[in-house]
């Protein structure tokens, strides 16, 4: 005859192991998903790096590139011979709005000129990102107080 206490302990241990197996399977799935995401990020980084290297080697800035079949906007560095017309139209409008201002402007003021709903943070932040991108590439100057102005 089987010992009921021993049988109960075996059943309890089996339940513990089943639960542990479920947790480990979930963790393994999460690890695999993250590894897949990293592999995609690595491929995107390689492609963008190749495009930038080609752009620098050719001396002609590329406005848009392709990564995974998706258009990727590349804003060229401001340099002698690189005209404002090489920028995408939206960035040209941003530069024009900053240029029209009487002095340094905040992203909110540029948004007002461009008819962006500035009361919605989700609409203002992408504009701020574009202003920063233009400043990083030498098209605008970002002042320490967060305002933007044109370069001379």
């Amino acid at each position: 005859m089987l010992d009921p206490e021993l049988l109960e302990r075996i059943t309890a241990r089996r339940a513990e192991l089943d639960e542990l197996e479920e947790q480990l399977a979930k963790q393994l799935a999460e690890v695999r998903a993250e590894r897949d995401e990293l592999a995609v990020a690595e491929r995107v980084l390689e492609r963008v790096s190749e495009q930038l290297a080609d752009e620098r080697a050719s001396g002609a800035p590329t406005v848009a590139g392709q990564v995974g079949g998706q258009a990727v906007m590349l804003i060229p560095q401001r340099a002698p011979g690189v005209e404002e017309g090489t920028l995408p139209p939206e960035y040209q409008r941003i530069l024009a709005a900053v240029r029209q201002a009487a002095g340094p402007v905040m992203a909110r003021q540029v948004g007002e000129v461009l008819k962006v709903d500035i009361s919605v943070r989700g609409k203002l932040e992408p504009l701020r990102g574009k202003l920063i991108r233009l400043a990083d590439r030498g098209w605008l100057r970002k002042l320490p107080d967060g305002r933007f102005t044109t370069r001379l």
Side-chain angles (χ1 to χ4, degrees):
M1 181 137 185
L2 293 175
D3 181 2
E5 186 179 311
L6 185 57
L7 190 56
E8 187 176 315
R9 287 175 52 199
I10 290 172
T11 303
R13 182 63 180 151
R14 180 171 284 130
E16 287 174 11
L17 292 174
D18 288 346
E19 185 178 328
L20 180 59
E21 181 182 27
E22 189 177 310
Q23 289 173 355
L24 290 173
K26 182 179 176 185
Q27 282 181 321
L28 181 59
E30 290 170 356
V31 166
R32 286 181 175 155
E34 188 172 346
R35 287 171 91 190
D36 290 345
E37 289 174 9
L38 287 173
V40 169
E42 194 172 41
R43 285 193 304 269
V44 168
L45 181 61
E46 287 172 5
R47 287 181 184 160
V48 170
S49 295
E50 289 170 7
Q51 288 174 356
L52 289 173
D54 291 346
E55 177 184 318
R56 286 186 192 109
S58 72
T62 303
V63 175
Q66 290 283 321
V67 175
Q70 297 283 334
V72 177
M73 203 175 292
L74 298 175
I75 307 304
Q77 286 286 344
R78 183 176 182 202
V82 178
E83 297 296 323
E84 194 174 300
T86 61
L87 294 171
E90 185 174 359
Y91 285 83
Q92 290 178 34
R93 286 190 298 276
I94 292 169
L95 278 177
V98 173
R99 206 176 281 118
Q100 287 173 2
V105 292
M106 299 294 287
R108 178 176 300 281
Q109 294 167 292
V110 175
E112 289 171 350
V113 171
L114 297 176
K115 308 286 190 254
V116 172
D117 186 0
I118 60 171
S119 65
V120 179
R121 184 179 180 107
K123 300 211 180 201
L124 188 58
E125 288 307 312
L127 174 61
R128 186 182 324 280
K130 289 174 183 166
L131 285 161
I132 291 169
R133 195 167 300 114
L134 285 168
D136 289 345
R137 305 280 185 352
W139 294 95
L140 292 176
R141 192 164 57 112
K142 183 177 180 191
L143 302 175
D145 64 0
R147 295 181 303 161
F148 295 88
T149 186
T150 56
R151 291 209 172 258
L152 298 176

